[in-house]
Amino acid sequence: TSVGKLDGVAVGQSFILGLRRGDSGGDGGLIAWGRDDGSGCLGLGSSRLRPCWGAPWLVPLPPPTRGLSGRERVTELQLGAGHVLARTDVGRLLSWGANHRGQLGV
């Protein structure tokens, strides 16, 4: 996966997410590096231990909310030790990772 240009990065306890530029040919998606501690913090669809050193992984986002056309883009990221909050350009809040203290809001 090519990193391309980034609009920002956010750092968790043992992982990093990069926000790919949403203009100039970028897709506005997320890429991940680091170590998933089993909480799913990398957003790669697995809750087992998964290293992600070296080349970054594309983070798959859930499908857009019903009625939206086009692709949602992540515009803001906040990371905790093992969880992620991401806001999209249509105002949707996505959360994944550790939730043992209710930090995901679900």
Side-chain angles (χ1 to χ4, degrees):
T1 300
S2 171
V3 173
K5 294 184 179 181
L6 299 177
D7 279 339
V9 296
V11 179
Q13 183 171 338
S14 60
F15 67 106
I16 299 170
L17 290 184
L19 178 57
R20 290 163 42 126
R21 180 162 284 171
D23 57 4
S24 305
D27 63 4
L30 298 176
I31 54 174
W33 297 267
R35 180 177 181 271
D36 189 324
D37 60 5
S39 68
C41 62
L42 291 178
L44 301 176
S46 173
S47 61
R48 61 179 202 264
L49 293 176
R50 175 183 265 183
C52 187
W53 306 117
W57 293 55
L58 286 173
V59 177
L61 297 178
T65 305
R66 183 188 236 178
L68 292 178
S69 60
R71 180 177 155 92
E72 266 182 291
R73 299 175 191 272
V74 173
T75 58
E76 187 177 349
L77 283 173
Q78 293 293 319
L79 275 60
H83 69 283
V84 176
L85 300 174
R87 188 174 66 168
T88 71
D89 58 351
V90 297
R92 191 161 68 141
L93 181 63
L94 308 173
S95 62
W96 63 89
N99 193 34
H100 57 277
R101 293 195 175 125
Q103 57 268 51
L104 298 181
V106 294

